[in-house]
Amino acid sequence: GVAAAGSAGVVAGAAAHRPALLLAALFVYGAGTATGLLARYAGAELAPPGQGGRATGTVLVAMTLGAVAGPNLVGPTGALAHAWGIPRLAGPFLLATAAYTAAAVVLLVWLRPLPARPEPAAKSPGGEPASGAGPHGPVRGASGVVTGATVMVTAQLVMISVMTMTPVHLTGHGHGTQTAGLVIALHVGAMLLPSPLSGLLADRVGGGPLAAASGGVLLCGGLLAGLAPPASVALSACALVLLGIGWNLALIGGTALLTHAAPVETRATVQGLADVGMSVAGATGGMVSGLVVTGSGYPTLAVAAGVLALAVIPAVALRGSPR
């Protein structure tokens, strides 16, 4: 509902040529869209026991469909806005107003009251003691929360750092913007399309092994990006695909760890704080990456980011320690 109101405000600000209204409405719109990525937690929360990973994957695939369809609707929505006397670039916000309104209605009608999800008795789907279970239950639960958040924040920092500078790197070596756009499109697809398989793996083997594997995949992506010859678009694309897959493993594995470990009464707050950490990491990575490339070059950035990703492996390995 907040996102719908914000997008309607953007349209109103654009139509009235009021920059202050436009910017204020964008702030409201952005606050509302934060629910999009948080929806993966809701999917895991409402799924039957042992199917939380697959539910998370389903939500992320739905996000993929939206990410693919959205840019292709810029033209038609712009034409509709122009026909109504509204600036063309406000057209996508007409679509956002309708889409978020529909989403709010669906949630109010079909998820009210919220379906109850039975809590697992003693073990999480990954075979680990649930929060509060066992001799070190509370400690293990707290460590699971910290580990899950650490995995997601680290992967976000690594992925954004390299992804942000890759188009700059490619165009700086003579490749066109269309080529750079294709590489980024492949990267975004790799970030989200493997979600059903990643979710199934999370349910079968647990979030810990998935999160640990993400460190190795992100390392391979960073090394390939840094060592690939600038003339090779194919190798750069492969590197960005590996970074996308590694990010996907980290997101679903970290989500599983955090969701299973967080106490029920504070779970939503913890999940929201973890996503705030991801946003801050992404913003930091985007800013720092430019400074690193300016001072040391793109290969240094990519290799350093890949090595940093290895930090998730000891974080996962130590999460069960009572200390």
Side-chain angles (χ1 to χ4, degrees):
V2 170
S7 51
V10 170
V11 174
H17 303 287
R18 301 282 183 178
L21 174 59
L22 176 69
L23 293 174
L26 278 172
F27 184 86
V28 175
Y29 173 76
T33 59
T35 58
L37 196 56
L38 286 169
R40 73 187 191 278
Y41 291 121
E45 183 78 13
L46 297 176
Q51 298 182 22
R54 277 167 280 186
T56 301
T58 301
V59 174
L60 292 177
V61 167
M63 293 177 63
T64 308
L65 298 177
V68 171
N72 293 307
L73 295 174
V74 169
T77 56
L80 176 63
H82 181 70
W84 288 356
I86 300 171
R88 287 182 180 273
L89 291 179
F93 289 94
L94 288 172
L95 174 63
T97 303
Y100 277 112
T101 300
V105 170
V106 167
L107 291 170
L108 287 173
V109 173
W110 278 282
L111 285 179
R112 189 178 182 91
L114 196 67
R117 176 187 183 277
E119 290 295 319
K123 289 191 176 183
S124 70
E128 302 157 3
S131 179
H136 300 296
V139 176
R140 289 175 185 264
S143 66
V145 169
V146 173
T147 301
T150 300
V151 168
M152 292 188 289
V153 167
T154 303
Q156 182 82 346
L157 177 64
V158 170
M159 184 273 293
I160 291 290
S161 298
V162 180
M163 181 197 72
T164 301
M165 286 294 108
T166 297
V168 178
H169 173 67
L170 291 174
T171 54
H173 286 85
H175 301 290
T177 54
Q178 202 165 10
T179 299
L182 174 62
V183 171
I184 295 301
L186 292 172
H187 168 70
V188 173
M191 286 171 61
L192 297 173
L193 287 177
S195 299
L197 177 59
S198 301
L200 179 62
L201 289 173
D203 291 334
R204 293 285 177 85
V205 303
L210 213 65
S214 72
V217 177
L218 287 169
L219 172 65
C220 292
L223 292 177
L224 183 58
L227 301 177
S232 177
V233 175
L235 287 179
S236 294
C238 289
L240 267 290
V241 166
L242 285 173
L243 285 169
I245 294 173
W247 180 88
N248 179 271
L249 294 174
L251 184 71
I252 292 185
T255 296
L257 286 172
L258 189 147
T259 300
H260 295 320
V264 176
E265 60 273 12
T266 59
R267 186 175 294 162
T269 301
V270 169
Q271 291 166 341
L273 287 173
D275 276 23
V276 169
M278 289 180 62
S279 299
V280 172
T284 302
M287 290 187 291
V288 172
S289 62
L291 299 175
V292 174
V293 169
T294 300
S296 303
Y298 176 81
T300 301
L301 169 72
V303 172
V307 172
L308 176 62
L310 289 177
V312 306
I313 297 177
V316 172
L318 295 174
R319 76 187 186 281
S321 169
R323 180 170 182 168

